[in-house]
Amino acid sequence: METAVLIPIKAFGAAKARLRGRLPDDDRARLARWLAERVVDAARPLPTFVACDDDGVADWATALGAEVLWSPGLGLNGAVDHGVDIVAGKGADHVIISHGDLPLPADLPSVASPGRVVLVPDGRRDGTNVLGRPCDVPVPASYGASSFRVHLGHALASGAPVSVRLDPRLSIDIDTVEDCRHPLVVPVLAPVLGEAMPQ
């Protein structure tokens, strides 16, 4: 199994909008960059691709050794579907698609399972934090409200074996103040944000 990791990342300055007003803009951008770097680091040594439409993110990803998939105007879902086609064309037969805001992503490579679609929902069982699948299994990107339910439906309809992994670490993403206060997150996040840590 030749597995690649695909991480769509928006401009750091535009990220974490739900923390606006609770975290200064510079700190929000720094938080988004720090989270994304943890995800890229966790993806190693697998081939890692960053889908983006921002020059700053592209330069950052290149400096970390990830390959940039430029995707202006495609939106999140279009960028992911385009990215899967690109990584398949580069020889991957399996892809792990991960959000870039996971504070505890160390187990990311373990989501890959030969011939199987594996979905890791967020803690609310609403979003899809990580999705691993064979590149030739049709699970179109459907991020947005209730993406986990929609992705699960597509996966089941594909006929491939499907697993839902309720992972206590990979299910954590950072969108709200409550996410920042998660007991598993505070020890790693507090040293990064210091006095800016949202209360």
Side-chain angles (χ1 to χ4, degrees):
M1 184 171 64
E2 297 294 330
T3 302
V5 178
L6 174 61
I7 310 165
I9 299 177
K10 67 168 62 175
F12 295 128
K16 306 296 111 200
R18 279 187 270 180
L19 289 172
R20 187 172 283 124
R22 306 298 296 272
L23 196 61
D25 289 349
D26 288 348
D27 289 317
R28 282 193 303 108
R30 185 162 56 87
L31 172 61
R33 184 180 293 106
W34 177 80
L35 289 166
E37 186 164 339
R38 288 177 72 84
V39 176
V40 170
D41 285 346
R44 295 188 178 105
L46 298 175
T48 303
F49 298 82
V50 168
C52 67
D53 60 2
D54 177 78
D55 289 331
V57 172
D59 291 344
W60 165 88
T62 300
L64 289 180
E67 184 168 340
V68 173
L69 302 181
W70 193 246
S71 52
L74 296 180
L76 173 57
N77 292 319
V80 169
D81 288 338
H82 174 70
V84 172
D85 289 342
I86 295 296
V87 301
K90 290 178 176 287
D93 54 24
H94 201 96
V95 62
I96 298 171
I97 304 157
S98 175
H99 283 326
D101 63 350
L102 310 183
L104 303 169
D107 292 334
L108 188 61
S110 69
V111 173
S113 181
R116 180 175 293 274
V117 179
V118 179
L119 300 104
V120 182
D122 65 15
R124 302 168 187 86
R125 309 292 187 265
D126 180 69
T128 311
N129 279 7
V130 187
L131 193 160
R133 67 173 178 89
C135 292
D136 61 358
V137 171
V139 183
S142 303
Y143 294 98
S146 303
S147 73
F148 169 62
R149 177 180 57 79
V150 178
H151 284 139
L152 179 59
H154 287 315
L156 293 171
S158 75
V162 178
S163 296
V164 174
R165 177 169 162 179
L166 304 179
D167 189 294
R169 293 179 177 270
L170 291 177
S171 69
I172 303 171
D173 54 354
I174 301 296
D175 287 315
T176 66
V177 171
E178 289 70 27
D179 296 331
C180 295
R181 294 173 178 166
H182 190 291
L184 293 178
V185 172
V186 170
V188 296
L189 190 56
V192 176
L193 292 181
E195 294 183 0
M197 186 80 172
Q199 300 299 319

